[in-house]
Amino acid sequence: TQNVVVGVGSFTEPKFIGIGNEPVTGTATYTYNSRQMSKEDIEAELAKLTKGATATINYSFTASGNYSGEKTGNINVTMVDIVFTVSGQPASADNAVTIKDSPTYGDDWSGIVTISDKIEATLSGEPVYGQYSLNVTGKPDAGQQNYIVQFTYGDKVYDVCTGTVTVAQKELTITGLSVENKVYDSNTNAIVTGTAVLNGVLAGDTVNVTTGTAAFDGKNAGTQTVAFSGYGIEGASASNYELSA
């Protein structure tokens, strides 16, 4: 009986050895569920089965080269699954990863989610070894973002666990603005001069300033503090940013 991995379905073809200990060449045909099918099609069907399911594949092998004749037989399979654990507990976003404190737009996924080196993968109780990675790369947008920890074993990729992180907007500041001095006129209106410059926008992002106003904190003559208000941001990348108060 062969153990076949759920979601993969790959099984080992029958092999025959000649009198000189050399492999016998030939052609195998397969029947599964009373239908003649290619190995690839059978594997696709097996991949759909659940853990613990069993199946039987019938084969007919016709020798060639230095040998002749036909050999028939059965391949019995049992479906098994790779199990992921951390310190004996099922792997999850709570124990398989470490999340950076307060991730902010501009942080890379590799710096936000660190995969634990304590994850263990077993197949039918035996350890299997492969490569762990995230299904996402680059820098995520602000807001709630999902990720999957994946395990590559051979040419197949398995999901270990899924998780969600909340990425904060990146703060921007505005410089380059001032106001004109004025003669007392009984109001607090201020005339803004200069050009607003956004500081902190990442290369490649499009964010622009929307115009606001300014006002003195009092209407009397003398030195007054100026408050700018109404300024905002817009553009294709604006949702990833916020203006610093």
Side-chain angles (χ1 to χ4, degrees):
T1 299
Q2 293 186 26
N3 288 331
V4 174
V5 181
V6 172
V8 179
S10 297
F11 65 91
T12 302
E13 296 183 276
K15 293 181 174 62
F16 301 97
I17 303 300
I19 58 175
N21 240 10
E22 79 282 15
V24 176
T25 60
T27 303
T29 58
Y30 300 98
T31 303
Y32 177 68
N33 284 342
S34 301
R35 291 189 297 140
Q36 186 170 317
M37 303 171 66
S38 68
K39 182 176 186 291
E40 291 72 23
D41 287 342
I42 294 175
E43 289 178 338
E45 291 299 313
L46 293 177
K48 300 174 185 177
L49 300 180
T50 57
K51 180 181 179 181
T54 59
T56 298
I57 305 162
N58 305 110
Y59 68 83
S60 176
F61 180 83
T62 302
S64 62
N66 294 325
Y67 296 89
S68 62
E70 182 181 18
K71 178 75 172 177
T72 60
N74 300 324
I75 302 171
N76 297 311
V77 304
T78 299
M79 303 306 297
V80 296
D81 205 358
I82 292 181
V83 176
F84 299 99
T85 58
V86 179
S87 300
Q89 299 299 313
S92 69
D94 294 327
N95 59 20
V97 298
T98 301
I99 305 299
K100 177 183 178 181
D101 290 337
S102 303
T104 303
Y105 175 68
D107 291 338
D108 194 88
W109 273 112
S110 61
I112 296 174
V113 180
T114 302
I115 300 173
S116 171
D117 60 2
K118 304 298 183 183
I119 304 175
E120 295 181 342
T122 56
L123 181 59
S124 298
E126 295 297 324
V128 291
Y129 302 97
Q131 181 68 42
Y132 293 94
S133 61
L134 295 177
N135 70 317
V136 286
T137 58
K139 61 178 186 290
D141 288 335
Q144 284 199 330
Q145 305 297 337
N146 300 320
Y147 65 88
I148 304 174
V149 177
Q150 296 182 320
F151 177 73
T152 301
Y153 177 57
D155 60 351
K156 302 298 181 181
V157 178
Y158 302 85
D159 290 348
V160 177
C161 65
T162 61
T164 301
V165 297
T166 300
V167 180
Q169 294 172 310
K170 189 175 189 295
E171 288 192 350
L172 301 179
T173 58
I174 296 176
T175 57
L177 298 179
S178 60
V179 297
E180 294 181 351
N181 292 328
K182 72 172 187 177
V183 176
Y184 172 75
D185 60 3
S186 77
N187 64 59
T188 60
N189 298 338
I191 298 175
V192 179
T193 62
T195 301
V197 176
L198 279 175
N199 301 289
V201 177
L202 299 180
D205 282 357
T206 301
V207 186
N208 303 308
V209 179
T210 58
T211 303
T213 60
F216 295 101
D217 66 349
K219 65 179 181 179
N220 295 324
T223 300
Q224 301 286 351
T225 300
V226 177
F228 293 87
S229 62
Y231 286 87
I233 53 176
E234 61 182 6
S237 308
S239 61
N240 290 317
Y241 296 90
E242 64 178 349
L243 283 176
S244 178

